[in-house]
Amino acid sequence: LTAPAPFADETSCQCQAPHEKLTIAQARLGTPVDRPVRVYADGIFDLFHSGHARALMQAKTLFPNSYLLVGVCSDDLTHKFKGFTVMNETERYEALRHCRYVDEVIRDAPWTLTPEFLEKHKIDFVAHDDIPYSSAGSDDVYKHIKEAGMFVPTQRTEGISTSDIITRIVRDYDVYARRNLQRGYTAKELNVSFISEKKYRFQNQVDKMKEKVKNVEEKSKEFVYKVEEKSHDLIQKWEEKSREFIGNFLELFGPDGAWKQMFQERSGRMLQAFSPRQSPNSSPTRGRSPSRSPSPPWVFNKASPPSSPKAASASLSSMSEGDEDEK
């Protein structure tokens, strides 16, 4: 698998022992150790696709030990019996050489297999799908191979063929023509008229404008979505902060808040400062004689208030002298 498969005309046959004919039963049980079973598959292989590869895979794995030879018809032979091809013979040869299941490629393969061709390449079996292939004036070009017991059928892959691919290209011709014009191909290379070229180029410009408008719409939707997402996040954060602020406010200024308790404590202290509690009954002042100091010296007699300021000052001075005498 490190190099492409060789061409048959550039290499000698790898089977050195005498070529003894094998039956299908013998080939499936196992072959002699001196050589593998030589299986041949042929075709046009235009626009090589997975259906071709799967058919070759089946041909390669028909027997435990096999050597797959693939014959590819030339352009002249193909155009004569089948029709025009998309790929030329050189491109088709190279496509087969790089398929992993192919051991050898035979260029310019015959349309109908002859005994001389089979003997030359020491072919044991021919692999192809079992559908009768009518061509070159024959109802089935593999009829004599089947009668000789050398034919081994393979299964076709449904849903894909060279004809299907060409049908898609013809159906969507305008799309592919516009694409290739956009990629730099000329109208002459694409075989389109002057009017068709202008139409395709105008349609390409319209598609570009549509794509730009679509991109702008997508970007606008993305921007709006981001703005909505951010606004949602901001609103959610604002709600969280609002709840936190309201909770802190109620905790501080609510009915049982810290501010009320602090205010009550301070007001109690102020009331206590302005109106101190009376002394207990066992206070020393209570044991004094009532004749000595029945009342504080600064308490005036309500029955005889001082008649004038001078009298009031004289009474105050006499009260002070009396205190000094007591001391």
Side-chain angles (χ1 to χ4, degrees):
L1 296 178
T2 59
F7 290 117
D9 53 2
E10 296 178 355
T11 182
S12 59
C13 181
Q14 297 182 5
C15 182
Q16 302 298 331
H19 187 72
E20 297 179 0
K21 192 169 184 61
L22 298 172
T23 64
I24 294 178
Q26 290 174 337
R28 287 177 176 170
L29 289 174
T31 58
V33 294
D34 55 355
R35 71 174 184 87
V37 178
R38 295 176 69 81
V39 180
Y40 176 79
D42 60 356
I44 309 303
F45 300 105
D46 191 21
L47 297 175
F48 189 80
H49 53 74
S50 62
H52 294 141
R54 290 178 65 86
L56 296 175
M57 178 187 69
Q58 295 177 61
K60 176 67 176 177
T61 58
L62 284 171
F63 308 107
N65 184 21
S66 61
Y67 185 84
L68 181 60
L69 300 91
V70 180
V72 185
C73 300
S74 64
D75 285 346
D76 293 338
L77 199 61
T78 303
H79 297 167
K80 179 181 178 180
F81 291 109
K82 189 171 184 179
F84 190 73
T85 58
V86 177
M87 300 169 65
N88 59 44
E89 59 184 23
T90 303
E91 293 169 338
R92 293 186 285 115
Y93 296 154
E94 289 297 322
L96 266 298
R97 291 185 69 195
H98 292 84
C99 178
R100 64 185 302 178
Y101 309 113
V102 178
D103 295 309
E104 189 174 314
V105 175
I106 301 176
R107 292 181 287 194
D108 194 13
W111 197 260
T112 303
L113 300 178
T114 62
E116 293 78 15
F117 179 81
L118 298 174
E119 180 64 28
K120 176 183 177 182
H121 296 281
K122 298 182 178 180
I123 296 171
D124 292 311
F125 301 101
V126 177
H128 200 273
D129 62 81
D130 201 15
I131 301 174
Y133 193 80
S134 59
S135 180
S138 175
D139 294 335
D140 189 1
V141 296
Y142 296 104
K143 183 178 180 180
H144 64 290
I145 303 295
K146 294 176 181 178
E147 292 174 351
M150 299 176 62
F151 186 84
V152 183
T154 58
Q155 299 295 323
R156 293 178 63 89
T157 301
E158 298 296 332
I160 185 169
S161 67
T162 301
S163 299
D164 292 338
I165 296 174
I166 294 174
T167 301
R168 296 179 204 171
I169 296 172
V170 173
R171 181 190 61 197
D172 301 326
Y173 172 76
D174 290 347
V175 176
Y176 297 124
R178 288 167 52 191
R179 183 185 67 179
N180 288 340
L181 281 173
Q182 194 173 5
R183 290 182 175 180
Y185 288 88
T186 63
K188 184 178 180 181
E189 291 173 331
L190 297 174
N191 195 25
V192 298
S193 64
F194 176 80
I195 296 176
S196 297
E197 178 190 5
K198 298 303 179 184
K199 181 184 72 174
Y200 293 150
R201 294 192 183 280
F202 176 74
Q203 289 174 343
N204 288 336
Q205 294 296 328
V206 172
D207 289 345
K208 286 182 179 179
M209 291 299 298
K210 289 181 179 178
E211 189 68 24
K212 288 182 179 179
V213 172
K214 184 178 179 181
N215 293 334
V216 170
E217 289 179 355
E218 290 178 355
K219 290 181 179 178
S220 300
K221 290 180 181 179
E222 185 178 358
F223 175 75
V224 171
Y225 175 76
K226 288 182 178 179
V227 170
E228 290 179 352
E229 188 177 7
K230 288 185 177 180
S231 61
H232 180 72
D233 293 340
L234 289 174
I235 292 172
Q236 187 175 4
K237 290 181 179 179
W238 182 82
E239 289 178 352
E240 292 176 357
K241 292 294 182 182
S242 300
R243 294 192 191 99
E244 184 179 355
F245 176 77
I246 293 171
N248 293 335
F249 182 84
L250 293 176
E251 184 179 356
L252 186 61
F253 298 102
D256 298 327
W259 177 259
K260 181 178 180 180
Q261 296 177 1
M262 183 176 64
F263 179 77
Q264 290 177 351
E265 291 178 359
R266 291 188 176 182
S267 57
R269 291 175 183 175
M270 293 177 66
L271 290 173
Q272 186 178 1
F274 285 113
S275 60
R277 296 177 182 177
Q278 295 181 357
S279 301
N281 296 330
S282 59
S283 175
T285 56
R286 295 283 182 178
R288 290 185 181 182
S289 175
S291 59
R292 294 283 304 262
S293 57
S295 62
W298 56 83
V299 179
F300 298 101
N301 190 358
K302 294 182 179 180
S304 59
S307 58
S308 63
K310 290 182 178 181
S313 59
S315 63
L316 287 174
S317 60
S318 63
M319 289 170 61
S320 61
E321 289 175 358
D323 290 342
E324 286 179 359
D325 294 338
E326 290 180 359
K327 294 178 180 179

